[in-house]
Amino acid sequence: MVALLREDRLFPADEAGRKVAAALYETVKALPIVSPHGHTEPRWFAQNEPFPDPAHLIVVPDHYIFRMLVSQGVGLAELGVPSVDGSPVETDGRKIWRRFAEHYHLFRGTPTRLWLDHTFEKLFGLDVRLSAETADRSYDHIAEKLSRDEFRPRALYERFGVEVIATTESALDDLKHHRAIRDSGWSGRVVTTYRPDAVVDPDFAGFTDNLRKLGEITGCDTLGFAGYIEAHRRRRAFFREHGATATDHGHPTARTANLAPAEAAALYDRVKAGGASPEDRELFRAQMLTEMAKLSVEDGMVMQIHAGSFRNHSDGIFARFGRDKGFDIPQPTNYVAALKPLLDVAGLEKGFTLILFTLDETVYSRELAPLAGVYPCLRLGPPWWFFDSAEGMMRFRQTATETAGFYNTVGFNDDTRAFCSIPARHDVARRVDCAYLAGLVTTGRLDEDEAFEVAHDLTYRLAKEAYRL
Amino acid sequence: MVALLREDRLFPADEAGRKVAAALYETVKALPIVSPHGHTEPRWFAQNEPFPDPAHLIVVPDHYIFRMLVSQGVGLAELGVPSVDGSPVETDGRKIWRRFAEHYHLFRGTPTRLWLDHTFEKLFGLDVRLSAETADRSYDHIAEKLSRDEFRPRALYERFGVEVIATTESALDDLKHHRAIRDSGWSGRVVTTYRPDAVVDPDFAGFTDNLRKLGEITGCDTLGFAGYIEAHRRRRAFFREHGATATDHGHPTARTANLAPAEAAALYDRVKAGGASPEDRELFRAQMLTEMAKLSVEDGMVMQIHAGSFRNHSDGIFARFGRDKGFDIPQPTNYVAALKPLLDVAGLEKGFTLILFTLDETVYSRELAPLAGVYPCLRLGPPWWFFDSAEGMMRFRQTATETAGFYNTVGFNDDTRAFCSIPARHDVARRVDCAYLAGLVTTGRLDEDEAFEVAHDLTYRLAKEAYRL
Amino acid sequence: MVALLREDRLFPADEAGRKVAAALYETVKALPIVSPHGHTEPRWFAQNEPFPDPAHLIVVPDHYIFRMLVSQGVGLAELGVPSVDGSPVETDGRKIWRRFAEHYHLFRGTPTRLWLDHTFEKLFGLDVRLSAETADRSYDHIAEKLSRDEFRPRALYERFGVEVIATTESALDDLKHHRAIRDSGWSGRVVTTYRPDAVVDPDFAGFTDNLRKLGEITGCDTLGFAGYIEAHRRRRAFFREHGATATDHGHPTARTANLAPAEAAALYDRVKAGGASPEDRELFRAQMLTEMAKLSVEDGMVMQIHAGSFRNHSDGIFARFGRDKGFDIPQPTNYVAALKPLLDVAGLEKGFTLILFTLDETVYSRELAPLAGVYPCLRLGPPWWFFDSAEGMMRFRQTATETAGFYNTVGFNDDTRAFCSIPARHDVARRVDCAYLAGLVTTGRLDEDEAFEVAHDLTYRLAKEAYRL
């Protein structure tokens, strides 16, 4: 069998560095996977049904894959991505797979290629590169594997060596799948995460209706600001009962605010019925980040801010296919002035943890590392989304470490709904961290015994501790 | 003869990478030069006269060279750069060359040094480093070469292995040199490019007068917006008759707009006579990018946007020497919000190609690669101007490839009026691409057979295909 | 004795590069230290008293150290950092040292770690890594050394091989320590630097009172703008009498202005009594940069602008501990539009030098190198503050050199109040420069003989020439 993957991939190019990296990697490659932030579906683990055909498992739901094909003229409909306007899309998995295979060369030099080859070789045992010629063979091969019991969700969880995995649910979710997992007696640990965008973002589809539902679910009067905040408090407790240790906030910017209570209440009155000005809507999101920080100080939930994405950039695609279709584009994001109101409220509070993510790499060295290198509550999340890649991870370490050190970072997040790619993603992170550490060792910036300790911390300990898992 | 250049220059520092890069380079180093964007003068090829003396060929017209000398206290006048206010400037080529030679150490570590040494060694056969001591000898040596027939423009075109070269002309140009080249029966392929800045930018010198001329040339009524757009349509057709496959737009920002027709016409009425507000002038440029995109959808011309330069930064230099004197400075440039109006109009149109250039490297990974990695019309132009350099090209690949891949890029542009430097510039690009690919191979991110294919694509195929040459 | 430091630290990872770097370093490692910008205290050299205990010498005054410990939950008070609100802080040096030692692992991968290990090994002769276990031993060891005469300030100045060191004093300082040093007959050269923030920044604590004092000291009528400018002129002369060759300006942004004289005078009237609008205060700072440039054209003092820090980000820390407590965070900084007014006034003046510093690394390649690569007055200061590090220095060379070359840079600044770290900091800069040059040599971008010359220039000549020392 030919290998799709080189054993020493992502290690430094020089011999000395390669040797140190390999030695470090040897000690972390088999550590359990801690996945504190991601988007797998709890239903999979609750119901443990077989996954669908290869295309509907691997291609159709993965925006990294379909956006690249779209960029070269393949339509979303041809790739089976569901439409929201009722227009027809391809449903034949084999046809979708062939289109994907014909365009596999587009992924040269991308992390997607590494993840896919890893999945093909290590999970499915394929030994030929995907191409138009090998499309059918690989489709049949993977389809056959997926029909087996050992490829069902719970079996894969175990085979992947997952110790704990966090999913992300809307504040309005009933968490029935998490309850079902818990009640099933299965030993896997799947925890939820409190994601309140639908009830804190006035631009979210159905915002006003969502507030009403939030009131119904919690028994709080969400017509007033105090009741609305109390509803959050109760939902957070409900999520904690289902394993949540963290909240997650996806905002267009990192802006925070700290209005006087009466002002905040008046602002809520203006936004709750819809139709508020753009500035009011942004200010409300900003205020709610600070409110969430205050609740985290109360209840100990770790707070995460994911900022900086311009969502649904193409009107045409949004009209036909809806959100999350690969047309979310990063923007310049400021954290320094933006976070000050929140940090003046909660930045020095014992026991409060705020993990920051960015899509603007320029802020690593300029803003995020200096902030995380002094505020006790702040930690830096790993490179996110477009930067969950070999170069992206290396740039993160090179630009953040000198100011924030290693211990203000929180290990790796796979942040994915592509379940099969989870081992590949963690493997890339482990290799890049080992390569970075090896570079420090061979250039006399870190002793080798320390590098082994740091490698373990970055792979395992920091994620568990930061997320309190 | 001593070499000025190392044979393995710009290859990776590690042995394994150097070997792979050398093997890749061996297969692309002699491929024909495709130069789809640049600023050579069609007159050279039409008239095929000998070039002037070494200083007036190499120093006086090259802003990379004279700006560096100015930065260390040498005056533009001392370097023979023509003034616009009638003040005297040096005219003696030998004196100018000596000043240049005395300061040659300033170029250490710059791409200019690599281009010049390449030109000196490979084109003129010099084997000593330029310095005050060798100034006269090299001047005489080059002057003697330039007097020979085999150093005339058409002979150099052929010696350089150029397959096709694009020049850039104002929308008002009569293209007589291009006609002369075509009518001469010479086998060289010199095509024009439609550059309408003079008639779309209200800040361009003589804008109102230019609109009048545009009307005269085309027989369109440029007093109204419809006639003005029709005039563009006709000029574009005229340029296509002279080989043009592309348009080029040099704007201070990437802002685009999509006004309703009546609003656009009213805006045109406000700007056409001069004296409009800065916001109106910027909005007009923005609207015109979208109008050009619509015309490209009609006529198939590839559109290029070069954005982000603060032109003529020094009032003193501009008053005495005019524009393009090395005082153009990059600025932060946003593409995400800026391009949305245009992309909502034309971003999903089949057959439309928009190539983006930037002087703000932070946008590669944050904005341009994510945009080009999903919109079917978008392609990334190569590193431009200050970034047409070994480090600049490497950073481009490192920050753009993981999200946009290779196939949303368009190969190399030399973008130069320094004709003799064209082989050197393409050689640098080929070497850096091979070095980057070698790094992917030695770190297990790309298979070697694929690297050979990509190297060929980046050197030759992508430029031809993207520019439809 | 075991070494804390590797002999070949910070050299390139590849063998060829390592060899070249080592050869280059061998020729510059022992060159005298020229320290043209920093924050050591002239009192030390005037009085030549022994330094205090290890903690109060090394930990308490060093914001790089205490900010990292604060980021992991240690309080400033526990580290002995003086409060401004009268609240108690730790005073026992040994206890502070233990807290520091227990957290020494936090500095893994940071420049602080390199500086400290260098100081511990080379200055104090320690051979074990600092940790909770070795805390007391190292404390006693260092304390014993500090009690010796050869560890007094003047002896260290000589041991470190300092040729000249600049301190920084407020425009209102009486410079008595500099006079005392000069009058003492000691051979060391300690010069002051004119830092007028207290009398040009309307946001500076006590601004109005400072203006009054400035009038008293100089005998000028600082109630009017002309007298105020004349007062600056006289203070600058006074500073020059105490060795100053440079001025330094720490501004939140790089904005400059060039108001008409009457406007400037009216603006002064609005700000001088306090209570002006934020825009007026910023405009006044902007105008004063241009006024300082005009005075530099007159008197030949080299001007430095340090821009881009958001000072005292945490209200809570500022209230309890005051300024300069590690809570200064960089921000995006624009130089292109910002500097134009000043450059239009003084940018082409013979003999004027303006050295620019940034905390926003994105401007190196986009703004600062293009500006310094053409304006004869401009020079680029070395990487500053958070970027005074191996990675920061390498990024500076990689992003600035191709456009600005080496000769528009000014060598190294240690910029520190941590006196014992000065040799370590200069050593890091020398090593990184040699590593960068070695990379150019091994990739064929610079000849080896030139690299030796440049290494010497970067280490010694450029700093002396740029600062006129």
Side-chain angles (χ1 to χ4, degrees), chain A residues 13-14 22 32 42 122 125 194 197 270 295 331 390 397:
Chain A
D14 64 292
K122 304 290 186 191
Y194 187 64
D197 299 11
R270 292 199 300 279
L295 290 175
Q331 295 208 94
R397 293 290 176 210

Side-chain angles (χ1 to χ4, degrees), chain A residues 45-56:
Chain A
F45 308 108
Q47 302 175 348
N48 202 33
E49 295 294 321
F51 284 111
D53 70 79
H56 286 90

Side-chain angles (χ1 to χ4, degrees), chain A residues 4-6 8-14 18 66-75 78 105-114 117 129 310 312-317 325-333 359-362 386-387 389-392 395, chain B residues 14-16 334-340 343-344 348 350 362 365-379 395 397-409 436 440-451 453-454 457 461:
Chain A
L4 296 177
L5 302 169
R6 274 178 61 151
D8 60 358
R9 63 193 179 278
L10 303 179
F11 292 164
D14 64 292
R18 199 171 285 234
F66 60 66
R67 78 192 310 276
M68 180 64 95
L69 272 67
V70 167
S71 81
Q72 291 277 317
V74 184
E78 299 171 77
H105 65 284
L106 299 180
F107 297 99
R108 288 171 180 166
T110 71
T112 301
R113 167 68 182 269
L114 265 187
D117 278 359
R129 194 190 298 155
F310 186 123
N312 312 310
H313 191 268
S314 167
D315 287 355
I317 295 294
K325 289 302 170 292
F327 283 77
D328 300 335
I329 313 290
Q331 295 208 94
T333 307
L359 294 172
D360 178 355
E361 293 182 294
T362 70
F386 298 105
F387 308 112
S389 63
E391 300 283 350
R395 283 197 295 269
Chain B
D14 64 293
E15 266 318 297
N334 176 281
Y335 291 83
V336 181
L339 292 175
K340 185 174 178 1
L343 291 171
D344 276 334
L348 306 173
K350 295 265 177 210
T362 69
S365 71
R366 187 182 59 219
E367 305 176 30
L368 291 184
L371 284 165
V374 73
Y375 275 101
C377 65
L378 292 182
R379 295 293 181 272
R395 284 196 294 269
R397 294 289 175 209
Q398 287 171 336
T399 53
T401 307
E402 290 186 322
T403 293
F406 291 108
Y407 296 99
N408 287 306
T409 66
Y436 176 69
L440 294 187
V441 170
T442 57
T443 58
R445 288 182 271 175
L446 190 68
D447 291 335
E448 200 159 338
D449 66 310
E450 298 178 290
E453 193 178 314
V454 176
D457 291 341
R461 190 173 66 84

Side-chain angles (χ1 to χ4, degrees), chain C residues 141-209:
Chain C
H141 181 100
I142 295 172
E144 190 278 328
K145 296 277 190 188
L146 292 178
S147 70
R148 302 188 193 181
D149 281 351
E150 66 260 39
F151 281 80
R152 291 191 183 223
R154 291 184 181 182
L156 290 185
Y157 175 103
E158 285 152 15
R159 176 203 284 232
F160 292 165
V162 178
E163 180 175 312
V164 55
I165 191 165
T167 64
T168 304
E169 273 73 44
S170 162
L172 302 173
D173 196 282
D174 61 13
L175 305 183
K176 69 178 177 197
H177 296 305
H178 286 86
R179 259 197 315 287
I181 295 166
R182 191 182 54 191
D183 296 347
S184 74
W186 175 53
S187 65
R189 185 169 173 210
V190 180
V191 303
T192 183
T193 303
Y194 187 65
R195 173 93 175 211
D197 298 10
V199 290
V200 303
D201 179 1
D203 288 319
F204 204 93
F207 176 66
T208 298
D209 201 40

Side-chain angles (χ1 to χ4, degrees), chain A residues 64-97:
Chain A
Y64 289 88
I65 293 177
F66 60 66
R67 78 192 310 276
M68 180 64 95
L69 272 67
V70 167
S71 81
Q72 291 277 317
V74 184
L76 283 173
E78 299 171 77
L79 294 167
V81 175
S83 65
V84 295
D85 66 353
S87 60
V89 305
E90 182 61 65
T91 55
D92 182 335
R94 186 177 298 271
K95 284 190 186 157
I96 295 166
W97 189 258

Side-chain angles (χ1 to χ4, degrees), chain A residues 31 55 77 94 97 153 191 234 267 276 278 282 289 298 348 363 374 424 429:
Chain A
L31 286 174
R94 186 177 298 271
W97 189 258
V191 303
R234 292 185 190 177
L267 175 63
E282 174 70 357
L289 287 179
E298 267 183 46
L348 307 173
V363 305
V374 72

